[in-house]
Each structure stands twice: as C-alpha cells, then as structure tokens.
Amino acid sequence: MKKMGFAKLNVWVRDLKCELAKKAGVTVVDCHGRVIETASWGDLPRELQVPPGCYIVRAHACYFGHGGSLKNYQSDRSMVIVRCGEEACVNLVIPEFVNCAKDIVQPLIAQAIELRMHPQKIKELVGTLGEIARIPVEEFIKKIDLRTNDLRYAEEEDVKNHVIELKKLKELIR
C-alpha cells in the first residue's frame, strides 16, 4: 500500500563492471546524518519509502573478486532529492579496495601532516596502505602528478597552496 505524500527510492547496487549485486543492506540518511530508512540484508533492488527531501544513500554488500577474496563492503554514496509521490532510481557502486586506497591516500597524508606526524611515519603509512592494497608507491605518485597537472592553472590561493602541498606529499612518499 502506497503511503500518501511519500516518495519511493529504488536502490540498485553494482560493481565497477556495472554487474548487479544480488543482495545488500541499504541505509538512507538525511543531510544531518540522521537515519531516515534502512533495509536489512536482502535481495536487490530495494524499494524504500521516504518523506520528501534530500537524502544520502549507501549500501553494504559483500563484493568478491576472482578467487573468492573480499574486494570491498561499502558502496559509494549517492545523493537523491525526491518530492511527494516521486520515484527515484538510485544506483550505487561498490568500488574495489584498490580504488578506495588510491582515492584516500592524498587526504590521509594531508591529515597526517596537519596532525604534525613525523615524515617517516607518514611514509611508512603510505607504504603499508600500498602493500595492503597491492599498489606500488609509484601509482600513488602518478595520482598526485595527475591532480597537480589538473590544478596547474588554478588562480585561487587555496588551490595554489594545495598544489604546493601535493608536491610536498610527492617528495615525502618517494
């Protein structure tokens, strides 16, 4: 039975090859982090009814790679805005851990520097993350180079400072 005034979210979960996950749990939170709706572990797609509003949706599903090893558990997040009576299709992606590691290394190092961690400790942290994710440090350096190149013409002072920090990060983990 449809609740009047509510919206419907149809949630799908996929891997990076766009293949559908068979089962997942789903959490819908508002923009203040309050849980609005959850769907426990079950078959996909999930259909959830929510009040009209702006939400962040995330799923947890066991994503296994070749040989049966667990590749990741949490999906990326998606924001969705729905009005009364609307339906929205939400597709969530579960990236492999290696993708997460590549994406997290720069903010992780920046936070470590902000906390004034010893440079050798930061270098070891990056080395350990790379070892766990099976990523050579050179791959992290390539990612930093890409970001530095993307921002090379930026005129905003905070972005220029970020580029300087990226160059320092590169030297630090080398």
Side-chain angles (χ1 to χ4, degrees):
M1 185 166 113
K2 183 175 179 179
K3 295 180 185 178
M4 294 305 294
F6 278 70
K8 190 184 306 180
L9 303 180
N10 294 294
V11 181
W12 298 80
V13 181
R14 303 170 187 274
D15 65 17
L16 287 172
K17 294 178 182 132
C18 299
E19 294 180 19
L20 291 169
K22 293 184 180 15
K23 294 186 178 210
V26 178
T27 303
V28 178
V29 298
D30 66 14
C31 295
H32 301 286
R34 296 177 294 227
V35 175
I36 301 301
E37 186 64 67
T38 61
S40 59
W41 186 261
D43 292 334
L44 289 169
R46 303 309 296 265
E47 188 173 279
L48 302 158
Q49 286 194 339
V50 295
C54 182
Y55 301 108
I56 298 168
V57 184
R58 193 167 197 194
H60 55 275
C62 295
Y63 170 39
F64 294 94
H66 297 293
S69 63
L70 183 63
K71 295 293 185 183
N72 208 336
Y73 185 69
Q74 292 288 344
S75 74
D76 289 333
R77 293 169 181 87
S78 182
M79 181 175 283
V80 62
I81 300 170
V82 287
R83 296 182 296 203
C84 289
E86 284 187 339
E87 289 188 27
C89 185
V90 181
N91 278 278
L92 301 171
V93 175
I94 298 180
E96 290 189 23
F97 175 68
V98 67
N99 304 102
C100 298
K102 285 181 183 178
D103 291 342
I104 192 67
V105 72
Q106 289 176 28
L108 184 69
I109 296 170
Q111 182 69 19
I113 290 171
E114 188 176 311
L115 293 171
R116 296 182 173 21
M117 289 179 69
H118 191 278
Q120 183 59 35
K121 199 171 184 180
I122 296 170
K123 187 173 183 168
E124 290 170 6
L125 173 69
V126 172
T128 300
L129 179 62
E131 189 176 334
I132 292 167
R134 298 179 181 106
I135 302 171
V137 172
E138 294 77 27
E139 288 293 317
F140 290 135
I141 290 172
K142 283 181 191 176
K143 185 102 171 162
I144 291 170
D145 285 343
L146 283 172
R147 181 147 180 129
T148 303
N149 189 47
D150 286 345
L151 301 173
R152 71 181 177 275
Y153 299 119
E155 296 181 13
E156 300 85 357
E157 198 61 35
D158 57 342
V159 178
K160 286 181 181 178
N161 290 335
H162 180 63
V163 170
I164 292 167
E165 289 300 315
L166 286 172
K167 290 177 180 178
K168 288 179 187 176
L169 295 178
K170 180 178 169 181
E171 293 308 312
L172 179 67
I173 66 173
R174 190 171 277 185

